[in-house]
Amino acid sequence: MLRNKLSISLISLLASLLTCEQASARLYDDVMASGHIRMGVYENFPPYSFIREGQPTGVDVEVARRIAQAFGLELQLHWITPDEGLEDDLRNNVWKGHYLDKDEANPLAMKQLADVMLRVPYDKAYAYKQDSLGYLINEQVVMTAPYQQEKWQVAYDGQRLDAVRTVAVFQYEPIGVEVDSVPAFYFTSAMGGRMREMTHHYPNPETAFKAMKQGEVAAVMAMQSEIDWWLHQAGDKRYRLAENGFPTMGKQSWDIGIAIRQSDRQLGYAVEEVLDRMIQNGDMEKLFAEYGLRYTKPEFYQVMMEADAER
């Protein structure tokens, strides 16, 4: 009798947990019927998504608003705390959830997931990456709808450097980078490590840029939009954009798109239509310009423009 009661209790618990997981993952019809859409954006990540004067702001926050408006839905922001890697972020926020991230109203249930996650690198090789057994690592999500191309950028202090025509200058002049980032790895390993001693590490691009203003470093390297943002905030022509490339770095530009659950491609298609319309009619470029940022269309649109020009 006791064993039967325990079995029934276990089955009930498993069923309730399953119900909680299913309640967290919503399909297209659920989203439209609910009256709201949850858009995943990274927290404290200017100029993309952050809080300013108590209000959510940033390029991705505004993109999320435009998507919600296009569907006639209320926007609910799902703030994402970065984990160790993109795979963890996708798992924790798009298709499964983190077991420690509980709903305060219901301690047995995980918090609801994002319906759509923004600022996801759009790369087919990564999307179809396999583990050692040949299984797709990201089989639970679909990465689609590129809406921006991002790249690495250097800004420098024009009172210390006349120009930055080659990264070789950073054998002699200090440069600030975000710790554990691609720029950090590049400047500590490229050119046989000859720039390592001149590479200064900071918690984020904002502190690196502040260090340049205070004279600690002569330049900063981060993503183009981040550099544009801090130059725009500084409003000082003393700080300039470098035009050099980064030899031996490998991939120096990449597309940014969205991630949705594998089980809800219909929602992904609907969001893709909104983003495509914003790109085609120039709204996306205007939005970036409002934040003082340059906008580069994703590779697909660039190829399409080149094909049209050849006709």
Side-chain angles (χ1 to χ4, degrees), residues 110-156:
M110 290 185 292
K111 287 185 179 179
Q112 293 181 321
L113 300 170
D115 299 313
V116 180
M117 177 176 168
L118 295 176
R119 196 134 303 268
V120 177
Y122 177 78
D123 182 87
K124 288 186 178 180
Y126 177 78
Y128 294 100
K129 183 179 178 181
Q130 298 178 341
D131 61 19
S132 59
L133 298 177
Y135 294 104
L136 290 175
I137 293 176
N138 299 302
E139 66 175 349
Q140 299 293 336
V141 298
V142 175
M143 286 166 272
T144 185
Y147 59 92
Q148 178 209 357
Q149 186 174 94
E150 192 61 270
K151 69 176 184 178
W152 298 113
Q153 175 73 60
V154 167
Y156 65 95

Side-chain angles (χ1 to χ4, degrees), residues 47 58-60 62-63 66 147-148 228-229 232 275-297:
V59 169
D60 285 344
E62 188 58 39
V63 168
R66 302 286 180 90
Y147 59 92
Q148 178 209 357
D228 286 354
W229 169 252
H232 180 66
L275 294 173
D276 178 69
R277 186 162 57 248
M278 290 180 65
I279 294 169
Q280 299 279 24
N281 65 17
D283 283 352
M284 191 70 77
E285 184 173 7
K286 292 176 184 176
L287 171 58
F288 273 69
E290 290 174 5
Y291 285 84
L293 315 179
R294 291 167 289 167
Y295 175 69
T296 305
K297 292 181 178 180

